[in-house]
Amino acid sequence: SDVPGTFRELLGGGEVDAERIRSARILYLEGYLFDRPEAKAAFRQAADIATKAGRQVALSLSDPFCVDRHRPEFLKLIKESVDILFANETEVISLYETANFDAAARQVQTDTKLSALTRSEKGSVILSAGRSIAIPAAPVAKVVDTTGAGDLYAAGFLFGVATGKDHEAAGRLGSLAAGEIISHLGARPEVKLAELAREQGLLG
């Protein structure tokens, strides 16, 4: 872009594309964009458009420091507007200011319809309607670079949800995508994720 600054600095109501949101199955919001008042308003605006159009709203907390800065507003947004929450272990513990993951998981289960909580080598936990599903981490020969792991997990999980997979299959898709990305440098897959999913029997 020839506009000075980054998208993080510029996110506001002008960047919200109502028609694109209405045409999507799921709106995905990333918490690291939440800092400025204009950005918070844009999040609420986008979530409202999606909800009124019968679409789902997903939020990734993205960063524990961002959670620390905006805890009350994140909690309000989650309780009022979010259908699917993504958080890693550190982020969800920070969100609820609890001593451990299990306590945070109990809290998040009361506040969300569906949550995917990632735990690095421990895999992830999918929480919905009183149900908890443990998803193992995808086996990786060597962890090289964790950049993008959370985003790829969310991408795989949301693909599963959007294509009608059950929550366990969606979690396995997320785990598979995250496992691929941490096996090499950089945040873009080096192999086709669809092929990996087919090899694992997760795609027809």
Side-chain angles (χ1 to χ4, degrees):
S1 170
D2 57 1
V3 180
T6 66
F7 186 61
R8 178 176 182 168
E9 294 167 341
L10 296 173
L11 179 64
E15 281 72 52
V16 174
D17 186 331
E19 286 311 309
R20 183 167 290 187
I21 291 169
R22 291 187 190 105
S23 69
R25 292 185 188 181
I26 303 169
L27 168 69
Y28 180 57
L29 304 170
E30 295 198 80
Y32 74 87
L33 295 170
F34 199 64
D35 277 317
R36 295 169 66 248
E38 296 89 344
K40 293 172 188 173
F43 269 51
R44 289 188 286 269
Q45 177 190 2
D48 184 60
I49 292 166
T51 300
K52 287 178 177 173
R55 307 309 184 191
Q56 289 181 292
V57 177
L59 170 69
S60 171
L61 291 182
S62 301
D63 172 35
F65 300 107
C66 192
V67 174
D68 288 340
R69 289 193 297 272
H70 307 294
R71 186 174 294 105
E73 290 165 295
F74 269 136
L75 283 168
K76 186 173 189 296
L77 181 69
I78 289 164
K79 291 175 184 179
E80 293 180 354
S81 303
V82 172
D83 299 294
I84 306 169
L85 178 69
F86 293 97
N88 66 29
E89 190 164 2
T90 303
E91 291 158 0
V92 77
I93 287 172
S94 173
L95 181 68
Y96 290 103
E97 299 180 283
T98 59
N100 57 61
F101 176 80
D102 291 336
R106 286 192 295 272
Q107 287 277 107
V108 80
Q109 202 160 17
T110 67
D111 287 345
T112 62
K113 298 171 188 172
L114 176 60
S115 297
L117 308 180
T118 57
R119 309 187 72 191
S120 300
E121 71 278 1
K122 297 176 187 174
S124 61
V125 178
I126 313 302
L127 302 169
S128 66
R131 190 173 179 218
S132 175
I133 304 170
I135 306 293
V140 176
K142 182 181 179 183
V143 176
V144 176
D145 179 11
T146 60
T147 304
D151 288 331
L152 266 290
Y153 181 95
F157 188 88
L158 291 174
F159 173 81
V161 171
T163 56
K165 304 287 186 190
D166 63 32
H167 294 160
E168 182 174 2
R172 289 177 61 202
L173 284 164
S175 182
L176 188 70
E180 193 285 333
I181 213 69
I182 65 175
S183 67
H184 57 78
L185 287 171
R188 293 186 182 275
E190 291 186 344
V191 299
K192 293 194 176 198
L193 296 176
E195 291 178 5
L196 286 180
R198 285 192 189 93
E199 289 172 8
Q200 296 297 315
L202 294 169
L203 286 181

